[in-house]
Amino acid sequence: MKVNLLALLLLLFSFAQAEDGYRLWLRYDQLKNASLRTGYESRLATISLPGNSPTLQVARKELEMALSGLLGKMVRIPETRNPQASLQIEKSSARVSAQELTSLGEEGFLIRSTGGKSPLLITANSEVGLLYGVFHFLRLLQTEQSIEKLNIKEVPRLALRMLNHWDNLDRTVERGYAGFSIWNWHTLPTYMDQRYIDYARANASIGINAVSITNVNANATILTQPYLQKVKALADLFRAYGIKVYLTARFSAPVEIGGLKTADPLEPAVQQWWKDKAREIYAIIPDFGGFLVKANSEGQPGPQDYKRTHADGANMLADAVAPFKGKVIWRAFVYSAEVPDDRHKQAYSEFLPLDGKFRSNVLVQVKNGAIDFMPREPFHPLFGALPKTPVMMEFQITQEYLGQGTHLVYLAPLFKECLESDTYQKGKGTTVASTLNGMAGVSNIGTDINWTGHLFGQANWYALGRLAWNHELSAEDIAKEWIRMSFSTDPSLVSDLTQMMLASREILVNYMNPIGLHHIMATGHHYGPGPWVADLNRPEWNPTYYHRADSIGIGFNRTATGSDALSQYHPDAAKKWSDPATCPDIDLLWFHHLPWNFTMRSGRTLWNELCYRYNLGVDSVSWMQTVWNRQQSKLDAQRFEQVKMLLNIQHQEAKWWRDACLLYFQSFSRLPIPAPYEQPAKSLDYYKSLQFPYAPGH
Ligand code: GCV
């Protein structure tokens, strides 16, 4: 009997310890360092919150849960204010100058402690500012920082920090690799899944303040009463966390659900329909954020169906939501089969003449690069080119073109590379980041127990939020924060995992798209290599359109002698790219078609460099495996095994990319893969024959 009881206890203990990744970076396990714990405990003996509003209740609960976990003892925070408390959380504290308070704005916060017995202070002008301050403070504890003397002032750089879900009403997720949509439309609004709360906590902890919950390839049904009631339930929950809900608006909704004959934005009946719809929505959700729109792009309806411009379409919606302070986020991801011009140039050509023509509550959302979330793209030429239009960045957190759900790729270096690029539009130093009014990330979240499918996908959600808050944070610092909170603060583990994460994006570029190659993936699901694809209806859907390999060489000439996409950049930004001699290797084949025997900076010929890069990519995945494996003793078994298995898949897939691409390009170069490198395992025909009809996310 005794033995059985013990076994049961052990079993329960092992369940309690199970690390399935659900807790994300908000794990709050007991701090191992006892003296640190004691120090924290004495500084946090009593805590005072300024009230009991929904947002302050969220803050209280989070503090209680976090401190109880981190300190290993039950912490409860009384509902009454305590002016003697050792941690004072105060709205617009009288202990801070009016000037300082003003500088915090609506969402910023201040954390101050002068040491000794003086109380710690978290102050902000709004309750959500206090909540952000609480999460920041908890991060200090989770990452084992000293809280003796603090003077932290944090103000978000961007007003709009957003997740864009591409979630369909049937719960499939476009380009989703982590299961189904977390929005259970069938059981909403009555059944409120705990996941919705934990999702809001995670977002608030990194400063996300807006979420668009439906696919940009939109379904008008979301705008009907029953669905708006479901959306209301989510919006009501998210409000306390400072998160506003946006919906994607299908441009043809007035026809599809409104019974009109047209969706022409200049037609008064259509305008009235949207005004009525906006009034209906705001009556249900008073703080509704607004609409996110994909129009006249990849088959979606839009104003051009009626020979109107993108500005006509956006302004009509903007007028409908303006009385309620709503916004319209209009995507600039457009390219058309009818336009014979380089796809790279089309969004710029379309939107540049519209600068100054949008209503003030319209933001134009631009993808980081001009093609489509490739492993590496030069920054989009629209950044800095629309001085009269608020512009939002759109990054893709879900890894459609970066190994989907199976590759470990930390995206902060990709985000930073773009944000720090110099557009020169207002002189040297006009970085992409400096031209932005908001930042969105296409979500990688789903119903998988660990939210993101690949555990390291969590780091990309985390990094998007942190960079939207402050783009000056380094990719390294963000990785270290995330590792410390998600795994442990052990120095060798933090150092190893940081190195692996920081290198991971470049490693993927090497085994997928080296030297500026792009859009050479398989069709439809985009899983795996497909550089040979040449038979799709639209020219710019074919990988051959992008790599242009022939017997002479490879690459897309986008200089003045080619498509001249370079002319869309400021001349000072374009200069380095315009000449192969000055063009960085990483962008070479993006901008130039070069002969197979072109001499690279390394001294290797272009062909040999391709072979070198592809092989380096594969070898570097082996290195990642070594790094991960050597930290096994410091990792929990469950997460260690998961990532280990996925790294095995990544290694296999890296080889697949290498072999398929080199064999295919070799059919043009007619050159051997140099001897030291592993020769492809299978024939080109074999790689071409592979089919994946049920690859996820399609
Ligand atoms: C939502 C790419 C993706 C599409 C996506 C589109 C977009 O083309 O493959 O799935 O559609 O981008 O951003 O609108």
Side-chain angles (χ1 to χ4, degrees), residues 267-284:
E267 180 64 47
V270 174
Q271 295 170 352
Q272 193 56 47
W273 188 87
W274 281 109
K275 282 185 177 150
D276 293 345
K277 186 49 76 182
R279 196 172 319 108
E280 182 188 343
I281 296 174
Y282 280 94
I284 301 170

Side-chain angles (χ1 to χ4, degrees), residues 152-259:
I152 297 171
K153 178 176 158 185
E154 287 275 335
V155 181
R157 305 294 170 96
L158 296 173
L160 200 48
R161 307 176 298 278
M162 190 171 197
L163 286 186
N164 289 179
H165 288 259
W166 286 356
D167 293 17
N168 298 311
L169 301 186
D170 64 2
R171 296 194 77 181
T172 56
V173 179
E174 181 147 353
R175 312 310 176 185
Y177 311 104
F180 284 96
S181 167
I182 59 171
W183 318 126
N184 188 339
W185 296 109
H186 189 62
T187 55
L188 276 165
T190 317
Y191 183 83
M192 296 301 283
D193 199 311
Q194 175 64 32
R195 228 175 228 264
Y196 305 149
I197 298 171
D198 293 327
Y199 166 85
R201 288 174 52 231
N203 278 335
S205 79
I206 51 175
I208 297 284
N209 65 359
V211 294
S212 167
I213 57 180
T214 45
N215 192 354
V216 288
N217 290 334
N219 183 337
T221 308
I222 193 69
L223 301 177
T224 59
Q225 262 295 328
Y227 277 85
L228 290 174
Q229 294 302 334
K230 297 168 193 280
V231 176
K232 171 186 163 52
L234 293 173
D236 286 349
L237 192 159
F238 295 163
R239 189 166 299 117
Y241 298 82
I243 299 167
K244 283 191 178 175
V245 168
Y246 286 65
L247 292 175
T248 47
R250 185 157 167 88
F251 203 78
S252 50
V255 178
E256 288 165 20
I257 57 168

